[in-house]
Amino acid sequence: MNNIEIAADLIKKSKHAIGFTGAGISVESGIPPFTGKGGLWNKYDPKFIELSFFYSNPKKSWQEMHKIFFDSMGVAEPNKAHKVLADLEKRKILKGIITQNIDGLHQAAGSQNVVEFHGTIHRLICTNCNLPYKTKETDLSQELPKCPSCGGVLKPDFVFYGEGINKKNYDKASEMALKADLVIIVGTAGQVMPACYLPFTSKRYGAKIIEVNTLESAFTSQITDYYFPMKATEFFAELTKFL
């Protein structure tokens, strides 16, 4: 029995398996990571998504967000890794996913129980009256998108630098991490706090950890039981042979 067979066996026998995903799972959908080789922050100054910068320079912030987030993420499609995770949930093997990504590709693949720890580009919030809007139903051709109800500036509903994690998302992710008996980590270096603490919580409460990352992460030598230095799509294509 090879390690992928062992991983498949662990997944099938688990009672409360969850996924924990980061930018690496979406790279093969054409979305660049934020850090590392080819990372967005090697090319752009992330100042435009600092909360203070957004409130003092909303037009400039939106100009950059259009270019970096909405133009690329808005057309990306889920890949094999997203689809297999969605299928595992449909088969009631996977209980849910905690994702650090804001691209919505897990839901596009069919996943239902997804905690978007850092929010999403698919929803906008009015900074004045707090009304939410679906991005796809909002006119983003404006230089500065405004609330149809009160005229306030709209902000994407993802976490900016200097902004706290949404309490509802934090609490739900923490509950999932505590209940998990198996965590499938995919495409994250484990460097972004406080999200990176969640798999450590699961491990502390007895969960097994399967990790799929092209490079070793902060998890690999500390909590990972089975490490697969593979692209996410390659791993899940192999995994399906044993599921």
Side-chain angles (χ1 to χ4, degrees):
M1 186 180 284
N2 65 34
N3 279 353
I4 289 189
E5 282 183 88
I6 294 170
D9 195 51
L10 279 173
I11 292 167
K12 286 186 289 187
K13 289 178 177 176
S14 66
K15 302 297 184 189
H16 205 101
I18 65 169
F20 179 77
T21 67
I25 196 172
S26 295
V27 165
E28 292 175 86
S29 291
I31 299 175
F34 292 101
T35 58
K37 186 179 179 182
L40 287 169
W41 301 156
N42 295 332
K43 189 176 178 182
Y44 302 100
D45 183 346
K47 176 175 73 173
F48 71 93
I49 54 167
E50 289 176 2
L51 199 60
S52 58
F53 183 90
F54 174 80
Y55 280 116
S56 57
N57 303 274
K59 194 175 289 188
K60 176 64 176 173
S61 183
W62 261 107
Q63 183 182 359
E64 295 297 305
M65 286 191 291
H66 271 298
K67 181 170 58 181
I68 295 167
F69 295 125
F70 293 91
D71 291 348
S72 60
M73 290 187 189
V75 297
E77 296 287 340
N79 61 49
K80 179 73 172 180
H82 297 105
K83 291 172 183 175
V84 173
L85 287 170
D87 183 60
L88 288 173
E89 183 187 340
K90 187 177 179 181
R91 292 166 58 185
K92 303 193 184 305
I93 295 172
L94 195 75
K95 300 305 181 185
I97 296 168
I98 301 167
T99 187
Q100 299 169 81
N101 299 337
I102 60 174
D103 52 43
L105 291 182
H106 285 298
Q107 292 93 325
S111 292
Q112 299 291 316
N113 188 21
V114 182
V115 178
E116 295 176 303
F117 199 75
H118 294 139
T120 177
I121 65 164
H122 296 287
R123 187 171 53 250
L124 308 171
I125 300 290
C126 177
T127 55
N128 182 53
C129 70
N130 290 318
L131 276 177
Y133 296 94
K134 290 181 179 179
T135 302
K136 65 182 179 182
E137 296 173 1
T138 306
D139 181 10
L140 291 185
S141 65
Q142 308 169 66
E143 254 192 326
L144 188 59
K146 298 284 186 70
C147 173
S149 177
C150 75
V153 174
L154 294 178
K155 173 191 171 293
D157 193 17
F158 59 75
V159 179
F160 280 42
Y161 292 114
E163 186 174 18
I165 302 296
N166 176 282
K167 186 179 184 302
K168 183 179 176 182
N169 291 343
Y170 185 91
D171 289 347
K172 189 172 181 185
S174 298
E175 183 182 355
M176 284 175 68
L178 284 167
K179 285 183 178 178
D181 62 357
L182 176 69
V183 182
I184 307 169
I185 296 174
V186 189
T188 173
Q191 295 175 338
V192 178
M193 298 183 288
C196 64
Y197 295 135
L198 293 167
F200 283 92
T201 297
S202 300
K203 184 69 174 181
R204 206 160 48 241
Y205 281 83
K208 291 288 186 183
I209 309 292
I210 294 170
E211 180 185 352
V212 184
N213 268 318
T214 53
L215 298 173
E216 290 191 5
S217 72
F219 306 118
T220 314
S221 63
Q222 298 189 71
I223 62 171
T224 297
D225 295 292
Y226 293 94
Y227 171 56
F228 298 91
M230 304 168 69
K231 289 182 178 179
T233 54
E234 292 172 354
F235 170 80
F236 283 102
E238 282 297 306
L239 185 75
T240 54
K241 296 175 184 178
F242 305 104
L243 293 173

